[in-house]
DNA sequence: ATCGGCTCGCGCAA
DNA sequence: TGCGCGAAGCCGAT
């Protein structure tokens, strides 16, 4: 089922004569459980046309490096195989994604894109809508409930978003059938060929002018099949007891699904449905995970939607947070670190260093440690602006799930976004403070340090 | 071990 | 207008 509310027209071109329906894949890099692809297939069937899927591979996506590209391209390899087995053409070409889409849209009767509110893909999409002569729509398939259905404004706290979201959930938490096209694309002639050879993604990545020092990781295998396998493993294991055990860093009672969600290799909808249907877990465990997957995740999508120009800036913090950080701007920092010191994980704090090493070497970090890690950077750098810039930079460079709406919302949480004021103290002002003593009091944090040693060894041996 | 205070702004009840 | 309450906080008092 595809609700009309997922679909937004991006231009008002009249019906167009064309040879196929085109789906320009951007964020939703999957061939199943994808409302945008599904809409394209249904349109094509209604018009008795084949479906073409196009992907433009830019060499210069901000912050992207070998780690991200390998994960993405290995995922796209599976997309290509599955689409082709269903009679859907898949074309992947080097170039700016908007230009690649415009090139293919020349022969399209109808153009579908998947929605993503981050600046660059959004700018590309709006430019394409103007440039093409066929009708174009965007489909929201990254979220369970379309952002504008939940609320028309920025919800400043989870507790204001939560009831609005829950009111819509019964309606939107519905499985989506995957339709096959009735007209195969095999007969299409004269399409621009793929210029990216997905049979050898190692070579493709080696040929790109990107940072190769951030290497692919072994910890998380790329692609939809790996993502679905991880989902099964999560439900069978860590979900059991998730409610009470999710914050213990050494236990890694986490889903590890965020990289797959970030690249769109699996959908939040199918994850939510699978978790909801599980009967081995108790209700508390399922509720705790669904709160994170749905409420907390879609809170950041709401945030980005309503701060299109400054979601990556401290300007969009609530007034109390901006004021209190400014009041403490010149508080002395001791210690005071620069990015190179942080990036080699050589601070005085062994817990922080462990978190940083987990991030650098495995592309991932335990949820709870992400908060501690970010709070300490605020504490240890000269100004909040410098700390924020460094945190976002490291986040987007090393995490497989970086450069996501979640990244911006959650990094800003460190600085008070979606949070509240607490006791005033140096540097932090009234933003929430976190201390190493808290880790020692509540967790077996030394076990986390040892666990990271093992994880790093497994990546580098 | 547990509890209250810290502190702001939103939404709702009245 | 008043009141309750909030992602993971800390800290000191009991």
């Amino acid at each position: 089922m595809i609700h009309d509310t997922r679909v937004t027209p991006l231009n008002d071109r009249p019906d167009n004569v064309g040879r196929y329906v085109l789906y320009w894949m951007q964020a939703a890099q999957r061939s199943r459980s994808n409302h945008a692809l599904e809409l394209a297939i249904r349109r094509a069937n209604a018009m008795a046309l084949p479906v073409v899927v196009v992907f433009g591979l830019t060499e210069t996506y901000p912050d992207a490096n070998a780690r991200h590209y390998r994960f993405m391209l290995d995922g796209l390899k599976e997309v290509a195989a599955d689409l082709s087995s269903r009679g859907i053409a898949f074309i992947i070409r080097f170039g700016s994604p908007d230009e690649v889409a415009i090139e293919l849209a020349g022969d399209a009767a109808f153009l579908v894109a998947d929605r993503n509110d981050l600046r660059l893909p959004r700018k590309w999409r709006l430019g394409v809508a103007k440039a093409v002569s066929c009708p174009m729509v965007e489909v929201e398939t990254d979220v369970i409930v379309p952002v504008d259905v939940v609320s028309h404004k920025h919800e400043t706290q989870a507790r204001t978003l939560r009831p609005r979201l829950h009111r819509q959930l019964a309606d939107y938490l519905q499985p989506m059938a995957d339709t096959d096209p009735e007209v195969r694309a095999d007969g299409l002639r004269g399409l621009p060929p793929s210029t990216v050879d997905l049979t050898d993604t190692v070579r493709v990545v080696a040929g790109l002018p990107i940072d190769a020092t951030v290497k692919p990781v072994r910890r998380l295998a790329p692609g939809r099949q790996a993502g679905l396998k991880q989902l099964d493993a999560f439900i069978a294991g860590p979900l059991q007891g998730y409610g009470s055990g999710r914050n213990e860093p050494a236990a890694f009672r986490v889903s590890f699904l965020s990289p797959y969600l970030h690249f769109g290799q699996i959908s939040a909808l199918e994850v939510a449905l699978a978790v909801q249907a599980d009967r081995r877990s108790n209700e508390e465990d399922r509720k705790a995970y669904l709160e994170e997957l749905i409420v907390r995740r879609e809170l950041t999508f709401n945030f980005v939607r309503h701060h299109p120009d400054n979601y990556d800036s401290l300007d969009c913090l609530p007034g109390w947070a901006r004021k209190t950080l400014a009041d403490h701007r010149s508080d002395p920092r001791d210690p005071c670190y620069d990015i190179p010191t942080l990036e080699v994980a050589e601070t005085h704090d062994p817990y922080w260093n462990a978190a940083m090493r987990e991030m650098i070497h495995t592309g991932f970090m335990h949820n709870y440690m992400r908060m501690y890690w970010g709070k300490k950077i605020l504490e240890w750098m000269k100004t909040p602006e410098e700390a924020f810039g460094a945190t976002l930079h490291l986040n987007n460079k090393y995490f497989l799930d970086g450069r996501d709406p979640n990244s911006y919302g959650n990094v800003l949480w460190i600085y008070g976004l979606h949070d509240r004021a607490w006791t005033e103290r140096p540097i932090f002002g009234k933003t929430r403070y976190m201390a190493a003593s808290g880790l020692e009091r509540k967790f077996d944090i030394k076990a986390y340090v040892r666990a990271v040693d093992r994880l790093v060894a497994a990546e580098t041996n």
Side-chain angles (χ1 to χ4, degrees):
Chain A
M1 158 169 207
I2 303 177
H3 292 76
D4 292 345
T5 46
R6 282 197 197 277
V7 184
T8 311
L10 292 184
N11 63 22
D12 54 3
R13 304 285 187 274
D15 285 350
N16 195 40
V17 180
R19 299 201 291 141
Y20 46 80
V21 169
L22 181 65
Y23 166 38
W24 169 27
M25 182 180 280
Q26 279 194 98
Q29 297 166 15
R30 60 182 175 272
S31 58
R32 310 274 169 167
S33 195
N34 179 338
H35 296 89
L37 172 63
E38 178 66 14
L39 182 80
I41 294 171
R42 292 188 198 178
R43 279 296 181 123
N45 287 349
M47 293 188 267
L49 290 173
V51 180
V52 174
V53 177
V54 67
F55 191 95
L57 187 72
T58 173
E59 301 184 343
T60 55
Y61 201 90
D63 286 323
N65 51 49
R67 176 173 294 172
H68 304 114
Y69 271 94
R70 267 292 294 287
F71 198 88
M72 180 171 81
L73 289 168
D74 283 341
L76 288 171
K77 189 173 172 174
E78 280 180 46
V79 169
D82 187 44
L83 289 178
S84 123
S85 77
R86 294 159 70 193
I88 300 170
F90 181 76
I91 297 170
I92 176 166
R93 289 170 66 77
F94 288 111
S96 190
D98 52 341
E99 289 167 18
V100 172
I102 289 167
E103 185 182 14
L104 266 291
D107 272 346
F110 193 80
L111 172 55
V112 181
D114 52 78
R115 173 161 162 178
N116 174 325
D117 286 335
L118 296 182
R119 263 195 304 278
L120 190 52
R122 183 164 169 273
K123 191 182 111 191
W124 283 334
R125 232 167 32 250
L126 299 182
V128 169
K130 275 191 191 148
V132 298
S133 53
C134 64
M136 174 173 177
V137 298
E138 65 178 10
V139 181
E140 234 174 318
T141 185
D142 283 357
V143 287
I144 292 170
V145 184
V147 175
D148 292 337
V149 169
V150 177
S151 172
H152 287 291
K153 66 178 183 70
H154 174 222
E155 296 295 333
T156 57
Q157 292 179 88
R159 73 183 185 96
T160 65
L161 183 87
R162 191 176 294 109
R164 293 171 165 276
L165 196 48
H166 277 283
R167 244 176 270 151
Q168 304 292 340
L169 268 188
D171 224 16
Y172 285 90
L173 214 44
Q174 300 289 341
M176 195 205 73
D178 288 308
T179 308
D180 281 329
E182 286 157 15
V183 182
R184 295 181 66 93
D186 312 314
L188 282 171
R189 292 289 171 265
L191 290 173
S194 288
T195 56
V196 181
D197 177 11
L198 291 174
T199 59
D200 192 349
T201 57
V202 176
R203 219 177 107 205
V204 174
V205 170
L208 292 171
I210 53 173
D211 180 1
T213 64
V214 184
K215 297 191 165 45
V217 297
R218 296 175 189 163
R219 190 182 193 184
L220 296 163
R224 178 167 177 80
Q225 290 316 310
L228 292 174
K229 203 170 139 194
Q230 180 56 40
L231 171 59
D232 283 348
F234 169 60
I235 290 174
L239 176 63
Q240 320 296 322
Y242 189 83
S244 57
R246 67 185 181 283
N247 281 343
E248 174 69 52
F252 286 106
R253 194 176 284 282
V254 300
S255 74
F256 293 115
L257 293 178
S258 54
Y260 305 98
L261 289 167
H262 168 70
F263 286 100
Q265 295 172 352
I266 59 176
S267 71
L269 177 60
E270 64 191 328
V271 173
L273 288 169
V275 168
Q276 194 185 43
D278 179 60
R279 281 297 162 269
R280 290 162 290 183
S281 51
N282 64 39
E283 195 177 351
E284 185 204 343
D285 298 333
R286 292 193 296 275
K287 267 192 164 159
Y289 181 71
L290 292 173
E291 165 78 10
E292 291 183 11
L293 176 73
I294 305 177
V295 177
R296 305 303 309 191
R297 180 169 183 270
E298 300 197 1
L299 180 65
T300 68
F301 281 71
N302 167 278
F303 162 71
V304 167
R305 159 78 176 87
H306 292 283
H307 296 82
D309 301 318
N310 61 355
Y311 57 74
D312 50 357
S313 149
L314 294 177
D315 296 344
C316 54
L317 290 176
W320 68 267
R322 277 208 313 277
K323 179 174 187 311
T324 199
L325 289 171
D327 289 346
H328 291 272
R329 207 163 184 285
S330 4
D331 291 358
R333 271 72 168 163
D334 182 24
C336 184
Y337 295 122
D338 54 14
I339 291 187
T341 309
L342 296 176
E343 205 164 357
V344 291
E346 286 178 9
T347 74
H348 65 286
D349 178 342
Y351 313 139
W352 191 92
N353 293 346
M356 188 72 227
R357 293 177 74 225
E358 186 189 3
M359 178 186 207
I360 292 172
H361 294 283
T362 79
F364 192 87
M365 193 194 297
H366 188 280
N367 293 343
Y368 195 92
M369 295 310 291
R370 292 190 189 209
M371 293 186 277
Y372 179 78
W373 174 83
K375 287 288 185 185
K376 291 294 131 179
I377 298 177
L378 164 57
E379 186 175 356
W380 297 336
M381 291 193 92
K382 210 173 290 166
T383 63
E385 291 77 19
E386 200 180 322
F388 176 67
T391 305
L392 210 48
H393 165 71
L394 295 171
N395 183 93
N396 290 350
K397 178 173 177 181
Y398 290 108
F399 282 148
L400 278 169
D401 56 30
R403 302 165 299 128
D404 191 271
N406 272 218
S407 304
Y408 300 100
N410 292 336
V411 170
L412 278 166
W413 177 85
I414 304 291
Y415 296 79
L417 182 73
H418 299 151
D419 204 6
R420 61 163 152 151
W422 301 88
T423 312
E424 191 163 13
R425 62 159 56 230
I427 304 173
F428 289 83
K430 292 170 181 173
T431 63
R432 184 191 302 258
Y433 176 65
M434 291 178 86
S437 57
L439 297 177
E440 289 164 345
R441 190 175 67 248
K442 288 183 282 192
F443 309 119
D444 185 356
I445 192 64
K446 293 200 165 58
Y448 170 73
V449 177
R450 292 193 298 272
V452 169
D453 283 342
R454 288 193 297 274
L455 288 167
V456 172
E459 292 289 344
T460 51
N461 68 13

